[in-house]
Amino acid sequence: MILKQRSIPEELLILRYLRGRLKDLDEDHLKILEKGFAGELQWDTIVTDALTSSRSLLLNDLLLTSGGQMFQIDSLLLSKKFTIFEVKNYDGEYFVENDRWYTITKTEIQNPLIQLHRTETAFRRLLRDLGIHIPVEAYVVFVNPEFTLFHAPYHPSILLPSQLKRFLQKIKQETCEITNKDQMVAEKIASCHLKKSPYTRLPCYSYEDLDKGIRCGCCERFLFPLSQSYVYCEICGGKEPVEAAVLRNITEYQTLFPEKLVTTIGILNWCGGIVSEKVIRRILKKNYNTKGSNRHTHFV
């Protein structure tokens, strides 16, 4: 059973919303985040398909602190013991030399085992502080089938793509029914999760910096009015009901500018004027609660 679901990281979500609106966005950083998140989602599918839900508890995407040290856990499984999974979505060829990791072009990368060791140590300290006495194991999981690692000595904490099926079968055989105590322990760990990460790397942006309009949900190009009821994309040919498109754009607006009030004129401008003020007002009144009156009217 998944006790804590994985959600899109705030940093990734904001960068997605800025793409196509902000000039000079760091696309390489965005691609790295997208790739990492895709690997985590792939791992979620692999592990949930392999394990019986009633015999394990899964906590995803934890941000924890212990002894003044903040650390992240991609995936944490509880079933008789805690198993930490550090998920990597590397593709291509890599090699190890003198405990240093390199791409095939000899670019050095961070040794994932060092990161794993730090996470495991910090988590053990957190368990001790909470008075929880359950064994802990930790693994670096490589989920991409296109990943190849040369010259790596055997390490019990490395799980390559070809090993995942057998490893999870072994875990499944070792699991037993989840008890109320297990549930309480997992919920205690989940309650320690920190919602705001200090590791986010966002560009500076302001409302004035961003291109206005409603972006296509498929190709992210700006949409055009098709009729009173639909907007459409000239690039991919997709069309979308006006109300759905405006509501999606309001979500972007609120995420990018949480300090701004949602007003009819504000959303009209944010949508680039492709939808009339009358339609914007109708959509807001239908889907949000009205606060204030006259020129102070806004929606929550």
Side-chain angles (χ1 to χ4, degrees), residues 2 12 17 23 37 46 57 159 193 207 221 281 292-293:
I2 300 179
L12 175 56
Y17 289 164
K23 295 178 178 61
F37 186 60
I46 292 171
L57 291 169
L159 292 175
H193 171 68
Y207 181 84
R221 302 299 178 91
R281 185 179 295 109
S293 59

Side-chain angles (χ1 to χ4, degrees), residues 61-269:
D61 193 22
L62 289 166
L63 178 62
L64 305 168
T65 183
S66 174
Q69 177 186 356
M70 196 169 291
F71 61 100
Q72 294 175 289
I73 295 179
D74 293 333
S75 187
L76 180 67
L77 186 71
L78 172 59
S79 185
K80 293 178 67 175
K81 61 188 174 187
F82 279 114
T83 308
I84 297 171
F85 297 103
E86 178 73 29
V87 181
K88 299 297 182 185
N89 192 20
Y90 296 168
D91 61 344
E93 298 175 327
Y94 295 74
F95 67 93
V96 179
E97 189 175 90
N98 297 325
D99 288 330
R100 295 180 180 272
W101 289 54
Y102 301 89
T103 66
I104 201 66
T105 57
K106 297 185 178 180
T107 299
E108 186 172 1
I109 64 170
Q110 184 181 26
N111 184 338
L113 291 172
I114 295 176
Q115 180 182 351
L116 181 70
H117 177 69
R118 289 173 180 165
T119 299
E120 182 181 0
T121 300
F123 184 65
R124 289 181 186 276
R125 184 169 56 237
L126 175 62
L127 293 183
R128 185 175 65 248
D129 293 343
L130 294 174
I132 298 172
H133 306 286
I134 297 177
V136 178
E137 292 182 355
Y139 299 90
V140 178
V141 181
F142 295 94
V143 295
N144 197 316
E146 301 297 320
F147 172 73
T148 303
L149 184 62
F150 296 109
H151 309 315
Y154 170 74
H155 197 292
S157 293
I158 293 178
L159 292 175
L160 300 174
S162 60
Q163 298 174 290
L164 297 184
K165 184 177 180 180
R166 288 191 302 274
F167 176 82
L168 290 173
Q169 285 176 341
K170 181 174 179 291
I171 286 215
K172 185 175 181 179
Q173 292 169 358
E174 294 174 348
T175 58
C176 58
E177 292 297 323
I178 292 297
T179 65
N180 289 336
K181 182 180 178 181
D182 294 330
Q183 184 81 20
M184 290 174 61
V185 166
E187 289 175 355
K188 194 169 187 178
I189 296 298
S191 71
C192 295
H193 171 68
L194 305 174
K195 293 183 179 180
K196 198 73 175 176
S197 173
Y199 301 128
T200 55
R201 234 184 72 196
L202 293 174
C204 293
Y205 65 89
S206 67
Y207 181 84
E208 292 72 25
D209 292 333
L210 306 186
D211 292 337
K212 313 304 188 291
I214 303 177
R215 299 182 310 153
C216 175
C218 296
C219 69
E220 298 184 342
R221 302 299 178 91
F222 285 105
L223 298 175
F224 293 87
L226 179 63
S227 66
Q228 287 187 339
S229 302
Y230 286 90
V231 287
Y232 81 104
C233 179
E234 289 185 335
I235 305 301
C236 69
K239 71 175 186 176
E240 185 178 11
V242 166
E243 182 169 330
V246 169
L247 290 174
R248 185 163 49 78
N249 218 39
I250 293 172
T251 298
E252 290 191 14
Y253 180 83
Q254 292 177 303
T255 303
L256 293 172
F257 306 103
E259 75 287 354
K260 285 184 176 291
L261 296 177
V262 175
T263 65
T264 302
I265 296 302
I267 299 305
L268 175 69
N269 293 334

Side-chain angles (χ1 to χ4, degrees), residues 1-2 43-53 58 60 168:
M1 178 178 70
I2 300 179
W43 168 249
D44 293 345
T45 299
I46 292 171
V47 73
T48 52
D49 286 349
L51 300 180
T52 305
S53 60
L58 191 64
N60 291 319
L168 290 173

